[in-house]
Amino acid sequence: MEDSSLGKRPHQITAMRGTRKYRHIIDTPDPGKWELAGYEESLPISEKSNPITREMDKADPNTLVQLLRDCDAEIFQEEDETIINYQRLYSESILKTVAEIAKKVQLIIENPEDGLIVLSGCGTSGRLALLLANSFNRLMKGLHQSPCYTYIIAGGDRSVVAAQEAPEDNPARGQEELKRVCEGKKKVVFIGISCSLSAPFIAGQLDFCMKNLDVFLPVLVGFNPVSMARNDRIEGWNSTFRQVAEQMQNLHDSQRAFVLNPAVGPEGLCGSSRMKGGSATKILLETLFLVAHKASSKVEVTEKCLLEILRTYERAHKVTYSQSKKIAALVKQSATSLQKKGHLYLLGWGTLGLVGIMDAVECAPSYNADWRDVRGFINGGYHTLENQEGALTSLGPQFTISHEDFVKSVLPSVSETDTIVFLFTMDDEVTEVEKLVELVKEKTSNIHAICHATAGQYLPNSTKKMIPNPIVITWPILFLEYEGAFIQKFQRELSSKWILDTVTSGAHVLKGKVYRNFIVDFAICNSKHFQRAVSVLQRLSGHPETRCTETLLQSIYGEQTEQMRNTEMSQHIRAAMSRDKVLPAAIVSLLRNCPVAEARTRLESSESIRAAIESSLNVPGRKRVAESTESAGRSR
C-alpha cells in the first residue's frame, strides 16, 4: 500500500482505507436498537440503557454471562450500511485517526530525551493509564531505550488502590498535575481518557494543552460523539467539557489535536464505564502504541498490520467466553458470598494483580459496597504495582495490597462465607500459588482460579487437586517480533478484566443492587453521579427532572431542602457521601409518593433494594410509568 504524501520510508505508518474486506473472528450482534435515531435521544451513548440487558435483573448466572458477553462483542461491531449514526472501532475515520496519532507517538519514541507520552484518567481510566504506561516503559527498557511514558490519575496514587471519586470534578488540579509531570519537556503527547466525555479533571488538562500547542499534542479518548459530551457548567471553571471537545475537534484536521471516540454501545449496566469503556480504552491505546513501536523499529505499518492487532483482541473475546459455564459458576459463588455478608478476595500475580485491584476498587462506588466486600491483592505489593509514589501502606488498612498483607491482616478472619480467586499465568511461580492456596484452604473451600496458559503448558496435578474447577484459558503460541510478544500479555489482562467485570457485576445483580439494567444503589460522590442519579429517578418514575432533583436532595438532607436548592453541587456531593441508600430511598419515595423517611423504613424491611423497587412498582392502582425507558429518556 503506497501513499505519496508519506514518502517511501519503510518504517512509516501508511494510510487506512477502510475495512470492508475485514472478517470478524467473533459473531457480533446485529446493529443494536440503541443505534436507531430517537432511542433515548436526550442521553449520550454511555448513559443509554443497553437493550441487550434490559431484563438482566431477572437472569440466572448463565444468562448473565451470555448477556455481558454480547455487550462486550459490540466493541468489535462494524458500521451497518443502513444505520450509519456513529463511527465504530473499525470505521475508516477511526483507523485513520489511530494511525495519525501513532505517527506523533513514534516521534516521541525515537527522541525520548526531550519528549513524553502522558496518559491521564479518573478512576478505572487512571488505573489503566498506570497499567499501560508501565507496560510500554517495560517494552522500551527491553529494547535498551529510554522510557518515555507516564501516567496521571485524579486524586494521585491513593486512587489506584482506593476509590477517590471527588477529584474528578477539579479541572484546576488536573492542570497542576499535568504541569508537574511535564516540566522541562519540549514535546508532549497528552492522552486524556474520559469514557463518557465528561470528566472536568481531563477537560482542564486538554484546555491547558490547547493553550500550549507549541509543546503539547492533546488527544481525547472516549466513547460518545462530541455532540453528546457533557455540557453543564463546571463548578469553579469557565468552560464545559463539550466546548473543550469541540475546540479539539476544530483542531483535528490540522493534526494539532485529536479526538478518538468510536461508539462501542451502551454499557451492560447503565453508565458503568469501568466495564466496556475500560476494555475499549485498553484495546484502542495498546493497538495505537504497538503500531507506533513497530514503526519506530523500521517495520512498515499497514492497514493489515493495524487490523491484525485488533483481531487479536477479538480472539481474546472468543477464547475468554468459551469458558462461560465456569465463569457463571464463579458469578454464582461470588453472589452467595456477598449475599451472606461474606467477601470476595482477588489474589493476583504481576499485572493480573493490578487487574484484580482495578475491578475490586470500583465495586465500592459502583454498588455502594463497603471497601472490604471485594478486595484485590498483588504479589510484591507496591513494588510490583510500580506506582510513582511508592508504598502507601501507612495510609491505613484500605491501602494494604500485598499477598503478605492478606496473609497477615485478612486471612485470620476468612471464613466459609468468603470466596477467594487466584489470578496467575503458567509463567508465574506456580509453587508460590500452591503455598498460598494451602493457607487459604484451612479457612474456606470456596477457592477458584483464573489461570492463563500457552499451548503446551498444563496445570500441575498438585494444583488441580487444590483448585477443583479452575478457569484455564489456553492461548496459541505466537511467533512474533519483540513488540508483538507483548500482545499475549495484553490479551491475558483483557481476558481477566472481562471475567472479573462479569463476576463482580453479576454478583451485585444477584444481590439485588440492579433493577432492569440500572444500578439502583451507587455512591453519589461526584457531579456525574449526581446527574446519573437524577436520570435514573426520571427513567424509573416518569417524573420530571425538577421533581426528581428535589426528591434526591430530600434523600440527602432530609425533608427540609428549601435552603439547599441554590447550593453548589460540591456541597450536595459532600452531604450525599455521608448518607446511606440515598438513591434507593429517593426511588421508593417517588414510586410510592411517600416521604423519604417512610421509603427508608420500607427499604430496611425489604430483602433487597431491587425487591423494594419491584414491590413499589406493583402497588395496586399505580400506573406503570417505568415501562418505557425510551419515553423516560426523552422526558429529560
Side-chain angles (χ1 to χ4, degrees), residues 364 367-370 513 520-524 552 554-557 574-586 596 599-600 603-604 609:
Y367 307 105
N368 227 346
D370 188 281
K513 292 274 190 171
V520 287
D521 187 19
F522 55 82
I524 300 173
L552 187 63
Q554 288 174 358
S555 187
I556 293 170
Y557 294 109
R574 283 194 295 271
M577 288 171 69
S578 64
R579 294 298 304 267
D580 191 35
K581 293 187 173 63
V582 171
L583 179 57
V596 168
R600 288 186 179 280
L603 282 164
E604 291 300 321
I609 291 167

Side-chain angles (χ1 to χ4, degrees), residues 255-325:
Q255 296 193 12
R256 290 190 295 163
F258 292 99
V259 180
L260 186 56
N261 60 333
V264 296
E267 294 288 351
L269 285 172
C270 192
S272 187
S273 57
R274 77 184 183 107
M275 298 172 67
K276 193 192 291 186
S279 301
T281 297
K282 191 175 189 300
I283 291 166
L284 256 184
L285 292 182
E286 286 172 352
T287 300
L288 191 159
F289 295 144
L290 280 169
V291 163
H293 280 276
K294 280 172 175 284
S296 69
S297 299
K298 308 292 187 285
V299 176
E300 182 179 24
V301 179
T302 61
E303 173 188 356
K304 180 182 177 184
C305 174
L306 179 51
L307 293 175
E308 189 60 46
I309 295 171
L310 289 171
R311 191 174 291 158
T312 64
Y313 292 103
E314 280 206 55
R315 288 198 192 96
H317 181 279
K318 185 173 184 177
V319 169
T320 300
Y321 284 105
S322 68
Q323 301 288 321
S324 287
K325 285 187 178 178

Side-chain angles (χ1 to χ4, degrees), residues 2 54 66 70 79-80 133 203 206 294 297 313-314 321 418 437 447 460 489 511 528 571 607:
E2 290 187 3
R54 185 178 167 86
Q66 291 166 16
D70 292 347
E79 288 174 352
D80 182 78
L206 294 168
K294 280 172 175 284
S297 299
Y313 292 103
E314 280 206 55
Y321 284 105
D418 298 323
V437 172
I447 295 173
K489 170 183 176 295
K511 191 182 178 184
K528 179 177 72 177
Q571 183 167 331
E607 66 180 52

Side-chain angles (χ1 to χ4, degrees), residues 109-230:
I109 294 168
E110 292 174 349
N111 302 280
E113 288 75 21
D114 297 322
L116 194 63
I117 301 157
V118 180
L119 294 91
S120 182
C122 310
T124 292
S125 297
R127 295 175 199 108
L128 283 167
L130 163 66
L131 176 64
L132 269 63
N134 287 350
S135 292
F136 284 93
N137 280 339
R138 200 172 295 120
L139 184 153
M140 295 189 77
K141 288 174 188 173
L143 293 169
H144 306 291
Q145 296 173 330
S146 299
C148 60
Y149 290 85
T150 192
Y151 70 92
I152 298 172
I153 180 169
D157 275 1
R158 62 174 59 202
S159 295
V160 175
V161 297
Q164 313 277 330
E165 301 290 325
E168 178 176 320
D169 282 339
N170 195 328
R173 181 68 60 80
Q175 292 184 348
E176 290 165 13
E177 285 296 300
L178 181 57
K179 290 177 195 174
R180 180 183 63 79
V181 301
C182 297
E183 190 174 358
K185 296 297 179 181
K186 294 179 180 176
K187 285 294 173 187
V188 176
V189 174
F190 172 77
I191 299 176
I193 309 162
S194 180
C195 293
S196 54
L197 270 59
S198 64
F201 185 88
I202 300 299
Q205 294 174 324
L206 294 168
D207 183 66
F208 177 78
C209 289
M210 285 189 288
K211 289 173 178 168
N212 296 276
L213 289 172
D214 55 323
V215 174
F216 291 91
L217 175 79
V219 178
L220 169 59
V221 174
F223 306 101
N224 283 322
V226 167
S227 62
M228 292 182 176
R230 186 172 166 187

Side-chain angles (χ1 to χ4, degrees), residues 588-599:
V588 173
S589 172
L590 281 171
L591 293 178
R592 289 184 173 270
N593 196 26
C594 71
V596 168
E598 180 185 329

